Amino acid sequence: MDTLRLAIVGYGKIARDQHHPAIANDPRHRLTAVASRNASVPEVANFESLEALLEQGPEIDAVSLCTPAGVRTQQARLAMAHGKHVMLEKPPGATLAEIETLREDAERHGVTLFASWHSRHAHGVAGAKRWLAERQVRRVDIEWKEDVRVWHPGQAWIWQPGGMGVFDPGINALSIATAILPRPFHLVDAQLQVPGNCQTPIAASLDFVDGENVPIHAEFDFRQQGTPPIWEIHVETDAGRMTLEAGGRRLLIDGKLQQEGPDAEYAGLYARFAELIAEGRSDVDVSPFRHVADSLMLGYRHTVEDFIE
């Protein structure tokens, strides 16, 4: 397969820290251009907008959209109309409905659309899915807690409509849960803590059940201070307790380490993107995003103290 010529659109922290290194280390991809208002990258073509890149830039095969979700749909539609394959950072859009438009566009233009969920590519996730497939799940507990000032410094957009607040990291947990659990599940209760000066929650307590009434509880919190983040999923089964730690990098069974690997989630994303393009397919799974939408629709909002950066 020929090397895919890629452009990154929106060169912020996630693009700099994760996307660019993953592309650089994968011989199937080559970073050819960047479109960003606030950053430029040496040794590639740089543009202030996707429009300028498509009109004036070098030939590219695909774009990786790392811009805020609110502008991503317009950019994805433009790229696909120009015959480019598109990878969407999570979440894949600002609303569920617009993603259906993108799905139709990809089919009409004959290009690949990839709604990416990086946490699904954490080292222990595939093993967890295989292990659970042969067990009876009895209960699931998810704990996803981090300090917003450390992980999202100065990012005011996260508190605005569409920014998702604590669901920005929480959706990573939901992306793993929807991948590893053997049955679909749905929300039955959501308690959201929303700072008085924000539009999105700083913490959330969620209860789900699956088709066999297995309880699934999740606690998301942006106020974890002074200790490392907690990114864990615990599953009680008829054959013991399975745990994913460190966002899925470590897999344990009854407290005994089974698998542990490096942080290579974005390498997995780009390998998957290349595979989809080679096969002429798209992957647009919105199940984690649907759970967030349900939580924001069904959740009871508790006003808490203002958030001050």
Side-chain angles (χ1 to χ4, degrees), residues 103 106-107 111-114 272 276 280-284:
R103 196 194 306 266
E107 185 173 347
V111 297
T112 290
L113 178 64
F114 180 28
R272 175 65 171 160
L276 290 168
R281 298 191 297 116
S282 291
D283 180 353
V284 194

Side-chain angles (χ1 to χ4, degrees), residues 191-236:
Q191 303 293 319
L192 311 178
Q193 298 188 41
V194 183
N197 61 340
C198 299
Q199 296 295 314
T200 56
I202 198 167
S205 181
L206 312 173
D207 285 293
F208 306 86
V209 295
D210 68 8
E212 295 188 5
N213 291 318
V214 170
I216 301 165
H217 180 72
E219 290 286 339
F220 302 155
D221 205 322
F222 251 161
R223 300 167 297 187
Q224 180 83 359
Q225 296 183 18
T227 59
I230 300 172
W231 299 321
E232 298 180 354
I233 298 177
H234 307 277
V235 184
E236 302 290 348

Side-chain angles (χ1 to χ4, degrees), residues 149-203:
R149 294 176 177 86
V150 172
W151 293 92
H152 294 277
Q155 297 179 17
W157 59 266
I158 207 166
W159 304 113
Q160 301 304 313
M164 299 203 306
V166 75
F167 285 106
D168 184 77
I171 203 170
N172 295 333
L174 294 171
S175 73
I176 295 175
T178 51
I180 67 173
L181 294 178
R183 291 178 297 275
F185 53 91
H186 65 274
L187 186 73
V188 293
D189 184 73
Q191 303 293 319
L192 311 178
Q193 298 188 41
V194 183
N197 61 340
C198 299
Q199 296 295 314
T200 56
I202 198 167

